[in-house]
Amino acid sequence: MSEDFSKLGFAKTYIYPALALFLIPIACLFFYSYVQSVYDQQFLDAAIADIRTDPQLKQDEKEGLIAFYTTYPPSSLIVSSIPTAAAWREIQDTQYLVEQYSLAWAVRICWACILGGIAAFVLTGIGVILSLQSQSMQYVSLLVGWHLLRLFCTLEVIAQGLLVFSLSFWIPAFFFNIYIVKILLLFAILALGAIGVVIAAIFKRPSDDFVVQGKILTREMAPQLWYDLELLSSKMQTAPPDHVIAGIDDNFFVTQLPIKVQDKNEEVQTLTGRSLFVSLSLLKKLPGQEADAVLLHELAHFSGNDTLYSQRIAPLLARYDHFLEGLYEGGLSRPVFYFAVMFRALYEISLGSLSRQREFRADRLAASGTSPHDMAHALLRITAYSQYRAELEKEFFDAEEAHEQVNLSERIDGGFLAYTHSFVDKHNVGELATAHPFDSHPPLQQRLEAIGFRATPDAMRNALYDESIGTWFQKIESAEMLERDQWNAYEEQFRQFHENILAYRYIPSNEQEQELVEKFFPPVTHTAAKDRPVAFDFEKVTYEDWDGPIYYREIESMTLENEWGARLDLVVKRNGKNKTIKLPLSKKSNEQQEVMSTLESYYGRAASAIAHQQSLNDPEPTLPPGDTFSMET
């Protein structure tokens, strides 16, 4: 969000695209108004000619009729309630009436879309302004806004779908006096598809599971920790948490959302109620009073009902984000998507504003319960730890060789104190922020200033110079074992993930690299036409009717053809020239899918490896020709 504000500005990023909401209605309004004016003029010219040559009419009657039709053209008479209009409609041809009705209703739909869009912009602005007042108003405005916007957006998609479909009839009919059934069917399918996707997105329940890696600390496992938490809760005038989860993430947080806790054995337990997550690794680094300050900060979120409103708002945001996906995927609903995403972006401003207010309030209460220095020192230590851990993880991840082991926790414990000596000098510490799974925290400088801590470089260095083991860590029985077990599981997952990534980086130059790539992309054989085998490995595809294998680096494009039996036409580039090589496919759809999915997967790996190797030597790498590959039909 901040990047969008700074580089493009909020208007260019969100509001200007949202104006696409009016694109189809305004364009259709001009077109249908023009068609009506042409038809009105044609009718008027014919009517005047008939009236002037009618011998049965007196001159004053002729002038009266001409004045009437000039005042009330067909576009007006078709929807007018005056008795003369009803009489006029009774004598008109049915097809002519249908055409006039369709034009009149199209114009009405255009105006409804335009006026509805203007009203939606106004109501959206009012809702966002109200949401800035308080947490309760924020929830109410989002709740009302979600129900109104999904109704408006759905009706808007239906209306704009009808307009686009009507254009597919009226443009050929008006300009060429024909209509094309295939075009009508095409746009009908597009419109119905967009409407169907959007309606489905309203009722489909999004997956909102929040999984936490950690261990649930019962009172039996950590009686001293629970006792002291109750004392801190009493000081903060709130009830203690229902659950405490101990993990190795680089943050602390509280929530009232249902969470799934997964332990080292991947067993999952769902918790409801008020949960507190504590980082074992950070508790080890935080001296007693600093840990008190951090925990008081988290408990302050309970006392301020912050977690209660987050619990109410989070499901609404999840459903709204899922609805946005439906609008985006609907195709014809894309203009409505840009309007809906603008509201989401505006609401994000409100969420960010009140979130920062909550953080400042929790900081103040924690500082008053301990001291500003304790709170400030804790924030500095947590920020330094997170930064150091992120740098080490990046170092491990960027390595071009597989790790026999990832000794991340050992590196952190052994090097953190030395890192703190240079942390203040090497980083713009004031612009950093502590990590959090739900909220964005204010920059560290603002938080320190808000509690009255003058963050000079010397003061920050002194705050970080402490290597004693935190007292709260010692309040957890078997804390060392709990932390070690979780680090072992995390480091092994990290090692395996890094191996998988290396498979997308390597163009094997030795047996070890080839062995690693083939671990994830082993040689496989599938069935092509007439039960004949087609073989794949990490660098090529082989088929017995070809002169030789096709290497993925040669592939320019691929097209699936079904005219004379299913086949893949592979366009390869050799010796500077393109050549099409055919791969006939099995008649069985599952065998066709196996061949195509394997080719896409193995080709994608090769293209990624080529791009990565180029990036190592080229600061501005260009993708290999095959990276434009797509499966076409």
Side-chain angles (χ1 to χ4, degrees), residues 188-405:
I189 291 172
L190 290 175
L192 290 173
I195 294 168
V197 169
V198 171
I199 292 177
I202 292 176
F203 296 102
K204 185 176 179 180
R205 184 181 180 273
S207 176
D208 54 0
D209 290 341
F210 177 58
V211 180
V212 175
Q213 304 291 331
K215 181 72 174 178
I216 300 172
L217 296 180
T218 63
R219 292 179 183 270
E220 292 74 19
M221 294 174 61
Q224 187 62 48
L225 177 140
W226 274 98
Y227 177 78
D228 289 346
L229 270 179
E230 290 173 349
L231 292 179
L232 291 182
S233 299
S234 177
K235 180 182 291 189
M236 197 53 64
Q237 298 181 349
T238 186
D242 301 310
H243 315 282
V244 176
I245 306 115
I248 57 171
D249 291 354
D250 56 346
N251 57 64
F252 296 79
F253 66 84
V254 288
T255 183
Q256 286 185 230
L257 291 168
I259 58 176
K260 296 182 181 296
V261 181
Q262 186 176 55
D263 61 21
K264 64 175 183 177
N265 299 319
E266 298 189 353
E267 295 180 359
V268 176
Q269 183 174 346
T270 301
L271 300 181
T272 57
R274 309 196 322 169
S275 299
L276 166 67
F277 177 89
V278 297
S279 170
L280 291 168
S281 302
L282 284 173
L283 285 180
K284 184 191 289 186
K285 297 284 185 289
L286 291 168
Q289 283 292 99
E290 293 183 21
D292 287 355
V294 172
L295 293 171
L296 282 170
H297 170 100
E298 298 303 333
L299 294 171
H301 287 304
F302 284 142
S303 70
N305 286 329
D306 302 341
T307 54
L308 174 63
Y309 285 108
S310 294
Q311 179 189 23
R312 294 176 177 176
I313 288 173
L316 291 175
L317 293 177
R319 294 185 66 184
Y320 192 82
D321 290 342
H322 188 72
F323 183 62
L324 286 177
E325 291 180 15
L327 288 173
Y328 186 85
E329 295 169 357
L332 289 179
S333 56
R334 194 70 60 83
V336 183
F337 161 80
Y338 290 118
F339 166 77
V341 83
M342 180 203 69
F343 172 77
R344 182 66 176 85
L346 286 170
Y347 200 83
E348 193 64 34
I349 297 174
S350 170
L351 288 172
S353 175
L354 290 187
S355 174
R356 293 191 171 204
Q357 291 179 30
R358 292 196 297 265
E359 294 305 321
F360 287 136
R361 170 187 172 275
D363 284 346
R364 287 195 303 271
L365 290 175
S368 65
T370 52
S371 73
H373 280 75
D374 289 323
M375 186 66 214
H377 291 187
L379 289 174
L380 283 165
R381 199 177 309 279
I382 291 172
T383 305
Y385 177 91
S386 297
Q387 190 69 28
Y388 185 47
R389 175 171 170 170
E391 291 176 13
L392 286 179
E393 287 186 344
K394 185 177 186 302
E395 178 185 323
F396 277 107
F397 183 79
D398 289 344
E400 292 296 315
E401 295 181 359
H403 302 292
E404 292 186 8
Q405 61 178 2

Side-chain angles (χ1 to χ4, degrees), residues 21-22 133 261 347 403 405 439 472 486 490 602 612:
L21 176 74
F22 300 103
Q133 306 306 309
V261 181
Y347 200 83
H403 302 292
Q405 61 178 2
D439 296 317
W472 279 83
Q486 292 190 45
Y490 178 81
Y602 281 47
H612 178 72

Side-chain angles (χ1 to χ4, degrees), residues 313-609:
I313 288 173
L316 291 175
L317 293 177
R319 294 185 66 184
Y320 192 82
D321 290 342
H322 188 72
F323 183 62
L324 286 177
E325 291 180 15
L327 288 173
Y328 186 85
E329 295 169 357
L332 289 179
S333 56
R334 194 70 60 83
V336 183
F337 161 80
Y338 290 118
F339 166 77
V341 83
M342 180 203 69
F343 172 77
R344 182 66 176 85
L346 286 170
Y347 200 83
E348 193 64 34
I349 297 174
S350 170
L351 288 172
S353 175
L354 290 187
S355 174
R356 293 191 171 204
Q357 291 179 30
R358 292 196 297 265
E359 294 305 321
F360 287 136
R361 170 187 172 275
D363 284 346
R364 287 195 303 271
L365 290 175
S368 65
T370 52
S371 73
H373 280 75
D374 289 323
M375 186 66 214
H377 291 187
L379 289 174
L380 283 165
R381 199 177 309 279
I382 291 172
T383 305
Y385 177 91
S386 297
Q387 190 69 28
Y388 185 47
R389 175 171 170 170
E391 291 176 13
L392 286 179
E393 287 186 344
K394 185 177 186 302
E395 178 185 323
F396 277 107
F397 183 79
D398 289 344
E400 292 296 315
E401 295 181 359
H403 302 292
E404 292 186 8
Q405 61 178 2
V406 177
N407 57 339
L408 183 58
S409 61
E410 182 181 334
R411 289 277 303 276
I412 293 175
D413 286 342
F416 179 66
L417 185 61
Y419 176 80
T420 60
H421 295 166
S422 61
F423 171 67
V424 175
D425 298 322
K426 290 184 177 181
H427 299 84
N428 186 357
V429 178
E431 295 301 316
L432 299 177
T434 55
H436 198 279
F438 303 113
D439 296 317
S440 60
H441 283 171
L444 186 59
Q445 184 72 31
Q446 295 182 19
R447 297 180 70 179
L448 296 178
E449 290 175 353
I451 58 176
F453 182 81
R454 188 168 177 269
T456 64
D458 287 339
M460 289 190 284
R461 289 190 199 94
N462 292 334
L464 293 170
Y465 189 76
D466 192 328
E467 58 181 343
S468 60
I469 295 178
T471 55
W472 279 83
F473 184 79
Q474 297 169 338
K475 295 175 185 178
I476 303 171
E477 296 180 4
S478 304
E480 287 283 358
M481 184 181 68
L482 286 176
E483 185 194 22
R484 184 67 262 159
D485 287 345
Q486 292 190 45
W487 271 117
N488 286 341
Y490 178 81
E491 289 169 349
E492 179 58 22
Q493 291 173 358
F494 191 102
R495 188 191 66 78
Q496 293 178 8
F497 179 73
H498 180 252
E499 273 194 355
N500 194 352
I501 293 299
L502 288 179
Y504 286 87
R505 294 179 184 174
Y506 284 160
I507 299 177
S509 58
N510 54 52
E511 291 183 3
Q512 289 77 15
E513 291 181 355
Q514 181 171 332
E515 182 181 350
L516 186 145
V517 172
E518 288 183 336
K519 178 179 178 179
F520 299 95
F521 295 88
V524 294
T525 300
H526 293 308
T527 303
K530 299 180 180 179
D531 295 328
R532 299 168 78 179
V534 54
F536 300 87
D537 63 30
F538 68 90
E539 63 178 351
K540 63 185 182 297
V541 54
T542 306
Y543 184 63
E544 60 187 49
D545 282 359
W546 297 340
D547 295 336
I550 294 177
Y551 289 84
Y552 303 123
R553 65 176 180 270
E554 300 177 303
I555 297 178
E556 296 281 302
S557 65
M558 178 173 67
T559 305
L560 175 63
E561 297 288 350
N562 285 296
E563 187 173 356
W564 302 103
R567 74 171 191 271
L568 287 174
D569 287 350
L570 304 175
V571 177
V572 300
K573 190 170 187 177
R574 290 176 175 170
N575 301 320
K577 296 181 180 180
N578 285 351
K579 179 181 180 181
T580 300
I581 299 177
K582 303 182 186 302
L583 174 61
L585 299 176
S586 168
K587 294 181 180 179
K588 298 178 182 178
S589 60
N590 63 317
E591 293 178 343
Q592 289 181 24
Q593 188 59 41
E594 285 178 346
V595 170
M596 290 188 294
S597 62
T598 300
L599 181 54
E600 285 188 294
S601 174
Y602 281 47
Y603 170 84
R605 188 219 72 84
S608 296

